C-alpha cells in the first residue's frame, strides 16, 4: 500500500515525495494530513534546514483527488476538503524553513497550488504547469487565484486561470514563475542543489527573510522598511550574527545554530 507521502532526511534537507504514482500523485485528504504531520515534524528538527517537495513516477501532481471529490454529496464536504488543502499550503508558505518544489511531468490544479506555496521552484524542461479548473466549470480553490497573480504578470495569471490552459516549463522560467530549469531526469538533483545553497544560511535570518518579503508585500513601502529595520535589529543580537562576522573575518563558512 502506498504511504501517500515519503519523507527522506539527508544532508540537512527533508525531501517530501508525493507517493501515489498510480494516481499521478493526486492530492486528497490523506495526503494533506500526512503533509501537515511531516511539516510539523520537520519544523522541530534542528538538523533540517530546508525542504524539497517532489512527486513519484511520471508527474509532480495531477491536482486534487477527483475520486474523493466525486464522493461528496453536500457542498459542506467540498468546502471542508478545500479547507484541508488550503490549510496545509498556508502552513508550507509560512514555514520558517525555505522550500523548493521539484516539478517534472506536470503540476496541475492543486498540484501547482502546492508548488506555488513553496518559496522556489525548479522545473524539468518540457514539464507543464496549469490550473485547469475552469474546464471543469469551477476555479482553483486552494490559493491558486491569489498566489499565481503574485508571482506572474496579472494578465498572464488571468489567462491561465480563465482559460485553464497550461504553460510549459520554459515559458514559466521566462516569466519568473520557475527559478531554474533542469534537464529531463535531473529535476530532483537540481532542486536539492538549490536547497543545499539555502541550508548554508543562518536559520533565524532565513525565517526572518521569508517573513519580511511575504508580509512586506502587503504593506506600504514606509511601513515595510520600518518592519525591516526592527527585524534586522533583532537579528543583530543573535549568536548567529556573531558567528557570521567571525566566519567572515576568518574566511570560512559560518557554522550557524539558529540562536
Amino acid at each position: 500500500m502506498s504511504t501517500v507521502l515519503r519523507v527522506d532526511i539527508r544532508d540537512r534537507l527533508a525531501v517530501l515525495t508525493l507517493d501515489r504514482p498510480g494516481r499521478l500523485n493526486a492530492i486528497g485528504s490523506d495526503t494533506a494530513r500526512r503533509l501537515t504531520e511531516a511539516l510539523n515534524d520537520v519544523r522541530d528538527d534542528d538538523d533540517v534546514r530546508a525542504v524539497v517537495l517532489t512527486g513519484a513516477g511520471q508527474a509532480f501532481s495531477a491536482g486534487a483527488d477527483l475520486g474523493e471529490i466525486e464522493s461528496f454529496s453536500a457542498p459542506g464536504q467540498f468546502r471542508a476538503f478545500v479547507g484541508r488543502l488550503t490549510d496545509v499550503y498556508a502552513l508550507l508558505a509560512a514555514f520558517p524553513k525555505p522550500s523548493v518544489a521539484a516539478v517534472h511531468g506536470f503540476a496541475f490544479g492543486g498540484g501547482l497550488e502546492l508548488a506555488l506555496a513553496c518559496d522556489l521552484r525548479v522545473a524539468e524542461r518540457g514539464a507543464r504547469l496549469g490550473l485547469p479548473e475552469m474546464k471543469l466549470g469551477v476555479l482553483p480553490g486552494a490559493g491558486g487565484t491569489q498566489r499565481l497573480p503574485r508571482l506572474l504578470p496579472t494578465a498572464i495569471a488571468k489567462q491561465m486561470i480563465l482559460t485553464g490552459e497550461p504553460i510549459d516549463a520554459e515559458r514559466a522560467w521566462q516569466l519568473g514563475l520557475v527559478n531554474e530549469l533542469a534537464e529531463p531526469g535531473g529535476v530532483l538533483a537540481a532542486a536539492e542543489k538549490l536547497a543545499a545553497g539555502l541550508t548554508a544560511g543562518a536559520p533565524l535570518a532565513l525565517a526572518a527573510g521569508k517573513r519580511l518579503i511575504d508580509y512586506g508585500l502587503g504593506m506600504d513601502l514606509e511601513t515595510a522598511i520600518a518592519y525591516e529595520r526592527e527585524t534586522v535589529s533583532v537579528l543583530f543580537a543573535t549568536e548567529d550574527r556573531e558567528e557570521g562576522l567571525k566566519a567572515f573575518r576568518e574566511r570560512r563558512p559560518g557554522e550557524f545554530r539558529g540562536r
Side-chain angles (χ1 to χ4, degrees):
M1 180 179 296
S2 172
T3 59
V4 180
L5 183 78
R6 286 187 282 113
V7 180
D8 183 19
I9 296 177
R10 56 177 182 267
D11 300 326
R12 290 189 170 186
L13 299 178
V15 180
L16 310 184
T17 304
L18 303 176
D19 195 20
R20 299 182 72 193
R23 298 294 302 277
L24 297 174
N25 299 318
I27 300 171
S29 295
D30 285 347
T31 303
R33 176 182 55 80
R34 282 289 296 118
L35 186 55
T36 299
E37 293 172 349
L39 288 173
N40 286 332
D41 290 342
V42 167
R43 181 173 53 199
D44 297 332
D45 189 339
D46 292 338
D47 292 330
V48 173
R49 297 291 178 87
V51 176
V52 174
L53 281 103
T54 189
Q58 300 178 359
F60 181 76
S61 174
D65 189 342
L66 292 181
E68 182 174 350
I69 291 173
E70 289 173 349
S71 71
F72 300 150
S73 59
Q77 292 176 291
F78 178 72
R79 185 180 297 110
F81 174 81
V82 171
R84 285 189 283 274
L85 268 59
T86 301
D87 288 347
V88 70
Y89 294 174
L91 176 65
L92 176 61
F95 205 61
K97 302 176 182 183
S99 56
V100 181
V103 177
H104 70 290
F106 49 82
F108 289 157
L112 179 55
E113 289 175 310
L114 175 60
L116 295 177
C118 292
D119 296 302
L120 306 175
R121 284 156 292 281
V122 177
E124 184 177 278
R125 290 184 182 275
R128 293 182 296 157
L129 301 85
L131 297 171
E133 286 86 350
M134 180 62 70
K135 296 184 177 182
L136 301 176
V138 291
L139 286 169
T145 66
Q146 302 306 305
R147 288 197 174 97
L148 192 65
R150 286 167 166 79
L151 294 168
L152 286 178
T154 304
I156 301 297
K158 282 184 177 180
Q159 182 178 357
M160 290 180 65
I161 294 167
L162 299 182
T163 67
E165 293 294 333
I167 59 175
D168 61 28
E170 289 81 358
R171 177 68 169 150
W173 177 72
Q174 291 170 352
L175 292 167
L177 180 60
V178 165
N179 297 86
E180 294 185 7
L181 291 175
E183 296 303 318
V187 69
L188 181 56
E192 289 186 7
K193 181 179 179 180
L194 180 58
L198 298 171
T199 66
L204 294 177
L206 284 170
K210 284 190 57 171
R211 289 195 306 271
L212 278 172
I213 295 167
D214 292 341
Y215 295 170
L217 287 172
M219 302 175 182
D220 63 81
L221 183 59
E222 183 178 358
T223 302
I225 290 176
Y227 179 41
E228 177 189 71
R229 181 174 61 248
E230 294 305 315
T231 300
V232 172
S233 297
V234 171
L235 290 174
F236 186 82
T238 64
E239 293 180 15
D240 278 351
R241 196 276 309 172
E242 295 179 1
E243 164 60 15
L245 181 58
K246 183 178 180 182
F248 177 77
R249 287 174 173 169
E250 297 175 358
R251 298 183 179 180
R252 61 172 175 80
E255 298 178 4
F256 301 114
R257 299 183 179 181
R259 302 175 184 171

